[in-house]
Amino acid sequence: MTVMEQRGAYRPTPPPAWQPRTDPAPLLPDAEPYRVLGTETAAKADPELLRTLYAQLVRGRRYNAQATALTKQGRLAVYPSSTGQEACEVAAALALEERDWLFPSYRDTLAAVARGVDPVEALTLLRGDWHTGYDPYEHRVAPLCTPLATQLPHAVGLAHAARLKGDDVVALAMVGDGGTSEGDFHEALNFAAVWQAPVVFLVQNNGFAISVPLAKQTAAPTLAHKAVGYGVPGRLVDGNDAAAVHEVLTDAVRRARAGGGPTLVEAVTYRVDAHTNADDATRYRTDDEVETWRAHDPIRLLERELTDRGLLDEAAIQAARDDAETMAADLRARMNADAELDPMDLFAHVYAEPTPQLREQQAQLRAELAAGQEGAHR
Amino acid sequence: MTTVAVKPATMAQALTRAMRDAMAADPAVHVLGEDVGTLGGVFRVTDGLAKEFGEDRCTDTPLAEAGILGTAVGMAMYGLRPVVEMQFDAFAYPAFEQLLSHVAKMRNRTRGAMPLPITIRVPYGGGIGGVEHHSDSSEAYYMATPGLHVVTPATVADAYGLLRAAIASDDPVVFLEPKRLYWSKDSWNPEQPQHVDPIGRAVVRRSGRSATLITYGPSVPVCLEAAEAARAEGWDLEVVDLRSLVPFDDETVCASVRRTGRAVVVHESTGFGGPGGEIASRVTERCFHHLEAPVLRVAGFDIPYPPPMLERHHLPGVDRILDAVARLQWEAES
């Protein structure tokens, strides 16, 4: 037999164990971010839901403005504003049932507030009087997470544990575009997919990780496309369209609750303010760009839809604004009161029982405080 | 009725038994990690748990240490008591962000509202001929992180008792398992009722009056061997097994040093920035007037863990311990 004949007899076959894990097509996101407002779909949306979303958006915008003002007065150490992203924040909270859990990042105070956390308690971390101001179990809101994406595996573990216990609880985990570059984002998506954990990942793609634009963050077609690699459906939504974000998240939550596994949602939005009050956004973006996004403002989009359809009148708009103003005045008043801190709290919550070493240090601080009160030393 | 001789159990078997008993006693206890299920762990420490309790209770995870520990955080938030396995000491490093930023701090961040009862099992230390990344002694990193308990057994009985205590603890515990003692056996009898000490107490493994060897984990048998050899020199050495690095048992350690007046700290971990520096400082601060000599350290060299064919030169052995003991100015005592 000639060499050519031998070659002719050879039939390449895939390795024995090879088979496609899953069909990628149904997992792929749409080409364009999903929108409801200004489309025919809007007519099918529940008017009551839209009005609630509107009131929460107005309230959220005012909250962002008030918190930013408080940084200027020195009442807050720092505030990462979510102005322009309120639709994502509000929809995140409203898409969940009471028994579900929210895992916010440091920018998502507003989502926590919309879920019922006291506005002052939600700002405790940023005020600097304690790390988490609220009891996470009260409203099922995990502590605001400062390290990027590290809260995502927590959401997966909690959802997994709930399912093991037979509870139909869903976890919604929020992360920014920058956070999708972190290893924990990958590990969380992968664990969630393998375990089919009832988790929804919401990426708020607001354009920048502090100053670094998305193009320098990822080469993926969209962040929603990342889902396919995990065997998870990716959804792309207009993050400034509150009705669309709410619908997509609600679908994903329902799917997770029914045992359908995780979903990755990318909400395309924009951070109109700087990263925090300490950031100078003019160094990395133009006013023109910001103005384009202001024209696509989430409140304006929803207000337009509601007024055009006769679902919102001037009185209702004013009522929403008044409600927001009352919230802001209350927040201002309570934040202007000095926090009362107990220095002995430093040792109270390190371990269930303080170690002998901490007891010694506790005694030392107690003595220092006593001496300080007598005016002996500073 | 005939008495059946009890087959001595290894440390690895005692650890398995501890997890089995904890899982049987409390449905909230879940074991997770890479290879812990079907395989029973690369050291077989989780052998049989998946079969007995099901894969939901003893779970093979994707290969990702941050993911293993990060999901354990979420599970603990929901009321479970995860026991995670980091397959080897140096494999735990990808999980450090979760460990330092969340596991160690969650109780503190939430003012006590969200304690995390997680046990992190880390096979550690050298002496088994492992290639690089399989022999690190990483205890100093854990010790330097407030919010974590750090314990390490040296006997089979302690392996059982300390692991039960760790799993029962409402705080996160880094449970360091000395790999080279996995196959060690002693008088532990699995058939008898088990004694579970609370975490935080050191024990005197051998009484003596000439000097105290302060040690833990894999170095305990080495120190006991050194103490036996020292008898030939007329030295009567006391050996203190710390068992718990955090919290640290100043009381037992200092009581011993005050009796003997001399101390050597022995561990595999590097000397510079290692646990011995902290221990020697604590002893000096508390026992200065009882000391006849400076507190010495016998530690691993300040090098990355060496290749297996050279590790015997790196690890503290009997000779190096006896040399240190000799440097404690014995003529002063006579």
Side-chain angles (χ1 to χ4, degrees), chain B residues 49-132:
Chain B
L49 298 180
K51 206 168 182 184
E52 188 171 345
F53 298 99
E55 288 180 18
D56 283 346
R57 296 281 304 280
C58 179
T59 309
D60 274 332
T61 64
L63 204 173
E65 289 75 13
I68 293 168
L69 190 52
T71 50
V73 168
M75 291 165 74
M77 283 177 171
Y78 205 79
L80 301 185
R81 304 185 86 86
V83 180
V84 308
E85 177 176 301
M86 297 286 149
Q87 199 161 77
F88 281 92
D89 32 57
F91 295 3
Y93 302 153
F96 265 40
E97 156 93 83
Q98 284 293 339
L99 185 72
L100 274 51
S101 293
H102 294 297
V103 174
K105 292 180 182 170
M106 196 65 85
R107 173 187 288 279
N108 191 255
R109 291 170 74 203
T110 60
R111 242 179 208 160
M114 194 171 252
L116 295 180
I118 303 175
T119 303
I120 302 143
R121 296 182 35 244
V122 187
Y124 83 120
I128 62 158
V131 295
E132 63 172 351

Side-chain angles (χ1 to χ4, degrees), chain A residues 137 150 154 167 184 187 352 357, chain B residues 67 77-78 98 102 171 248:
Chain A
Y137 290 100
T150 55
H154 305 172
D167 301 341
D184 278 26
E187 296 190 21
Q357 290 72 35
Chain B
M77 283 177 171
Y78 205 79
Q98 284 293 339
H102 294 297
D171 287 316
F248 190 83

Side-chain angles (χ1 to χ4, degrees), chain A residues 195-244:
Chain A
W195 287 349
Q196 286 292 285
V199 190
V200 177
F201 299 94
L202 171 61
V203 180
Q204 290 182 72
N205 170 9
N206 68 10
F208 297 90
I210 303 189
S211 69
V212 179
L214 189 68
K216 290 185 182 174
Q217 199 67 242
T218 182
T222 72
L223 295 172
H225 274 83
K226 293 195 175 214
V228 186
Y230 301 101
V232 166
R235 301 290 308 274
L236 191 60
V237 61
D238 181 341
N240 287 19
D241 179 336

Side-chain angles (χ1 to χ4, degrees), chain A residues 20-59:
Chain A
R21 305 280 308 159
T22 185
D23 176 9
L27 306 178
L28 285 166
D30 294 337
E32 294 283 328
Y34 179 68
R35 287 171 54 226
V36 168
L37 302 178
T39 74
E40 286 168 12
T41 323
K44 284 183 266 171
D46 174 12
E48 205 44 55
L49 170 72
L50 296 184
R51 279 194 289 256
T52 305
L53 285 169
Y54 177 77
Q56 289 281 351
L57 285 182
V58 172
R59 202 177 147 93

